[in-house]
């Protein structure tokens, strides 16, 4: 079976192809070189072969297109030994001769009609034994003699077990349709989307591009996966994502494909093409359309008019190639000409910098001012390039290093991790201590959840920062964050005290905002009243200031506090406003955090489709920016539990947990285990769910994350423990959670606690009382929609234990309706399966059967069960067999996991 990455973005086309081939006839895929035809052909051929179909394949090349009957030799050379004898002698001789299996008699010629009839008869014989799939890849190179034979056969073999799958390279309508038998269908393969190409680059090359860099590559490849992969390989060799306006490095394999279009142009076309390539607005270039160079380029098809009537290159790669091939002096002259024409400060400063060939303090200052303008426009990637250019044009080494730091922070905000890392390396190789401190702190930001080597970075940064209150304050701020990650909230307080004091002393408001945000995460469970004071203070500080990471983090915590307090509509409003502001500012490293919290909030209010889509996007962006994919995988796995499938969630979360275990990211390992435990619940694996949820709770509590409204797992853990025979432990978990909820005033979790209490009561022998109590709690529930749906689901199970099947079905249907209304597909599917199973069972277990199940759960043998219930061993065995059949389980272990 094909690798999943091989058919990214073509699932719908692949499904349509399968349907067409299943119905018989033929299928022709067509499109330009590299668009993915062969990938689809390979996938379909492999599937057919694994299903027992005889797959006969020919993949000719241009060099072989003049060799007669070569395609027939590819297709039938391997089957003639076994199948050839069934052909009439004249036909067999003709076909053997055409396939060069027989030396022709002197003076004789191959009879074309005999060859055609032989192929028809051969295919008829083969299809009587099993299905046959003829695969004709690169059909444009099939030699004419073979083409004529295959077209002849296609017209005569319709409606049977013969199928033909052909692929033709063409930029227009296909020309090789005659080889495809009726009923035939043609599929044109179009370009892949930006999201799919990003996934393809990550899956195949581990190249992670974001923002303008990704858009540039996708535009240059024109959505062609082969072009995108070749450009990705070139960028990987290049070592960093290109700046937003920097030409892409065109690899030799692509250069050969597009350079031929430029080869025959006259010399006067060069300057005009270079000017057009250097600006995204050709209508402003100082070259008229009547210029001889432009006219020649248009005549050669290098320049064309777009649908908007503007002049553009016929293929996006031509622009990059023109820039790559230009003489450096010609490039500087073109940039100077464009700088003189530009009225935009960002555009003018960039062209001036690229026109200059030496340092200039005035130019560096202009570039830095333009970088501020670019950032204000929400383009931190462009700001990073301008600041980097400013550093390169600066004479003073200390000032140059400071400007390089500025460029690094801009690049980090834009998600340009490779560029940021490269600039940090350049700074660390220098001799400016203050710049080295900031470079090390930037590298900490790039570490994601991987704390390997972070303490060494902090120690070196602290040494270089000595004597500088502002930089020392930042070092302690990062020390506090590391303490929270590694040893828990309380241990971060001393470092936070120092960071806050230094921030106030030196007047660094951004440092103070950052420090208050971390303090807020610490105090929210240790001292809630102090946490509210910290939040109010931080929001007052941030009011009226431009959006920065610190102010965005404070607004996220404001939404979190609102959500945990139970005011979900307000939390949604705060997060949607913040999302719009962060997207407008272009702060990619904050955007995935905002999107993830949006996903959580959407899930709490029952907007599961939005939670699903937003969580997937958050994970994708995070994986593109951070060096390890673990946290992004947790985002996506959690999102699947809102609106995807539990199977996909398990796949993503298992991968995430492996990564987080390896890099010792305890907090996100905990979040991954929580989501994975919920997946186990949906799969009916109660013991595994209890183990994972219990481990997650232990990890979170060690880090000081004890707020029941943050993790939302205490009720699930207690319920699962009770159902797996650990009711005493469940009582302790629930008591601790209730006390913490009371201390923190978390009322939104109380319905979940009641639900778990009722399960404990039911397994202790009082299912009717438990069901009645939970039903009463559901009359006026103060809880999120999914919590209410979950309580109805549990009520259905409790009613079944109470031997009230009618009430059980009503409760389960109510749960299913609520999950369906919320769009929570995994839980809706689970509930519907439970309802169908209860309907199939016909009624609850008898008292004897319930006692047998309880004793099985306790680990009793058949003999021990017989002695306890005063039954014969055979009677126990008969009851077990009946229970296995009715409950759909295979053995004692499966029976022990049931909720009867």
């Amino acid at each position: 079976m094909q690798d999943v990455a091989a058919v990214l973005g073509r699932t719908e086309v692949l499904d349509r192809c399968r349907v067409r081939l299943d119905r018989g006839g033929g299928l022709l895929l067509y499109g330009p070189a590299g668009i993915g035809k062969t990938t689809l052909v390979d996938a379909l051929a492999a599937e057919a072969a694994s299903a027992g179909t005889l797959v006969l394949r020919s993949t000719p090349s241009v060099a072989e297109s003049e060799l007669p009957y070569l395609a027939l030799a590819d297709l039938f050379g391997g089957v003639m030994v076994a199948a050839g004898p069934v052909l009439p002698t004249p036909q067999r001789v003709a076909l053997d001769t055409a396939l060069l299996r027989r030396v022709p008699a002197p003076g004789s010629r191959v009879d074309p009609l005999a060859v055609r009839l032989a192929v028809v008869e051969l295919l008829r014989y083969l299809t009587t034994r099993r299905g046959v799939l003829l695969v004709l890849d690169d059909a444009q190179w099939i030699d004419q003699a073979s083409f004529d034979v295959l077209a002849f056969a296609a017209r005569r073999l319709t409606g049977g077990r013969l199928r033909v799958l052909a692929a033709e390279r063409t930029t227009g309508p296909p020309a090789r349709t005659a080889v495809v038998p009726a009923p035939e269908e043609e599929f044109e393969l179009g370009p892949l989307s930006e999201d799919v190409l990003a996934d393809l680059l990550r899956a195949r090359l581990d190249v992670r591009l974001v923002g303008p860099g990704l858009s540039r590559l996708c535009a240059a490849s024109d959505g062609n996966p082969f072009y995108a992969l070749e450009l990705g390989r070139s960028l990987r060799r290049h070592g960093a994502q290109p700046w937003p306006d920097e030409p892409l490095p065109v690899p030799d394999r692509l250069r050969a494909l597009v350079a031929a279009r430029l080869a025959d142009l006259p010399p006067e076309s060069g300057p005009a093409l270079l000017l057009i390539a250097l600006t995204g607005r050709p209508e402003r270039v100082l070259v008229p359309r009547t210029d001889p160079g432009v006219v020649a380029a248009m005549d050669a098809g290098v320049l064309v008019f777009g649908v908007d009537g503007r002049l553009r290159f016929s293929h996006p790669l031509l622009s990059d190639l023109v820039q790559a091939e230009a003489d450096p002096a010609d490039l500087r002259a073109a940039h100077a000409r464009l700088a003189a024409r530009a009225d935009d400060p960002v555009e003018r400063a960039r062209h001036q910098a690229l026109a200059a060939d030496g340092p200039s303090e005035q130019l560096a200052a202009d570039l830095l001012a333009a970088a501020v303008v670019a950032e204000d426009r929400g383009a931190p990637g462009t700001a990073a390039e301008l600041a980097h250019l400013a550093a390169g044009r600066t004479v003073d080494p200390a000032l140059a290093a400071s400007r390089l730091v500025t460029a690094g922070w801009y690049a980090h905000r834009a998600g340009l991790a490779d560029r940021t890392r490269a600039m940090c390396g350049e700074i660390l190789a220098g001799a400016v201590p203050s710049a080295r401190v900031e470079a090390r702190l930037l590298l900490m930001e790039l570490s994601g959840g991987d704390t390997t080597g972070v303490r060494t970075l902090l120690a070196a940064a602290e040494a270089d920062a000595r004597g500088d209150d502002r930089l020392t304050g930042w070092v302690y701020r990062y020390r506090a964050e590391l303490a929270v990650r590694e040893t828990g909230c309380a241990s971060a307080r001393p470092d936070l005290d120092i960071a806050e004091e230094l921030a106030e002393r030196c007047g660094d408001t951004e440092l103070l905002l950052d420090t208050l945000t971390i303090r807020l995460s610490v105090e929210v469970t240790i001292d809630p009243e102090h946490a509210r004071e910290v939040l109010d203070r931080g929001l007052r500080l941030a009011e009226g200031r431009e959006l920065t990471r610190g102010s965005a983090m404070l607004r996220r915590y404001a939404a979190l506090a609102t959500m945990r307090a139970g005011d979900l509509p307000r939390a949604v409003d705060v997060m949607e406003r913040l999302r719009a502001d962060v997207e407008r500012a272009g702060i990619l490293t904050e955007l995935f955090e905002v999107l993830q919290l949006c996903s959580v909030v959407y899930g709490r209010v029952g907007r599961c489709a939005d939670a699903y889509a937003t969580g997937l996007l958050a994970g994708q962006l995070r994986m593109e920016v951070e060096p390890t994919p673990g946290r992004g995988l947790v985002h996506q796995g959690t999102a699947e539990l809102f609106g995807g499938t539990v199977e996909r969630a398990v796949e993503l979360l298992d991968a995430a947990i492996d990564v987080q275990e390896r890099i010792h990211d305890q907090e996100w390992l905990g979040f991954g285990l929580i989501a994975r435990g919920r997946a186990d619940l949906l799969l009916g694996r109660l013991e595994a769910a209890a183990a994972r949820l219990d481990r997650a709770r232990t990890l979170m509590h060690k880090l000081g994350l004890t707020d029941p409204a943050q993790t939302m797992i205490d009720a699930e853990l207690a319920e699962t423990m009770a159902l797996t025979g650990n009711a005493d432990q469940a009582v302790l978990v629930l008591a601790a959670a209730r006390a913490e909820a009371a201390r923190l005033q978390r009322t939104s979790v109380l319905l979940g606690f009641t639900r778990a209490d009722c399960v404990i009561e039911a397994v202790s022998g009082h299912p009717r009382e438990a069901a009645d109590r939970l039903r009463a709690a559901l009359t006026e529930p103060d809880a999120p929609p999914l919590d209410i749906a979950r309580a109805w689901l549990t009520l259905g199970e409790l009613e079944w234990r109470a031997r009230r099947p009618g009430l059980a079905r009503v409760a389960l249907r109510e749960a299913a309706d609520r999950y369906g209304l919320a769009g929570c597909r995994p839980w809706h599917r689970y509930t519907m399966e439970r309802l169908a199973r209860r309907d199939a069972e016909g009624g609850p277990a008898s008292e004897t059967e319930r006692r047998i199940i309880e004793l099985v759960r306790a680990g009793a043998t058949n003999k021990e069960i017989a002695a306890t219930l005063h039954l014969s061993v055979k009677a126990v065995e008969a009851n077990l067999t009946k229970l296995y059949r009715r409950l759909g389980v295979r053995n004692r272990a499966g029976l022990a996991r049931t909720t009867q």
Side-chain angles (χ1 to χ4, degrees), residues 445-460:
E445 287 286 341
L446 292 174
S447 68
D450 189 353
T451 58
T452 307
V454 165
R455 288 205 171 277
T456 302
L457 282 174
L458 277 175

Side-chain angles (χ1 to χ4, degrees), residues 258-266 269-270 272-274 276-277 293-306 310-319 321-322:
V258 296
R261 305 190 196 184
L262 302 172
D264 297 330
L265 291 178
S269 293
L273 292 180
L274 185 55
I276 294 171
V294 173
V295 172
M298 293 178 67
D299 290 343
V302 171
L303 294 176
V304 296
F305 287 112
R310 296 178 178 180
L311 205 60
R312 64 173 179 81
F313 284 97
S314 58
H315 193 285
L317 271 181
L318 290 168
S319 171
L321 189 60
V322 165

Side-chain angles (χ1 to χ4, degrees), residues 33 103 205 275 491 510 532 607 656 775 819:
V103 179
L205 306 177
L275 287 170
S491 64
E510 187 61 23
R532 283 189 283 273
R607 290 168 54 181
R775 185 179 296 279
Y819 279 130

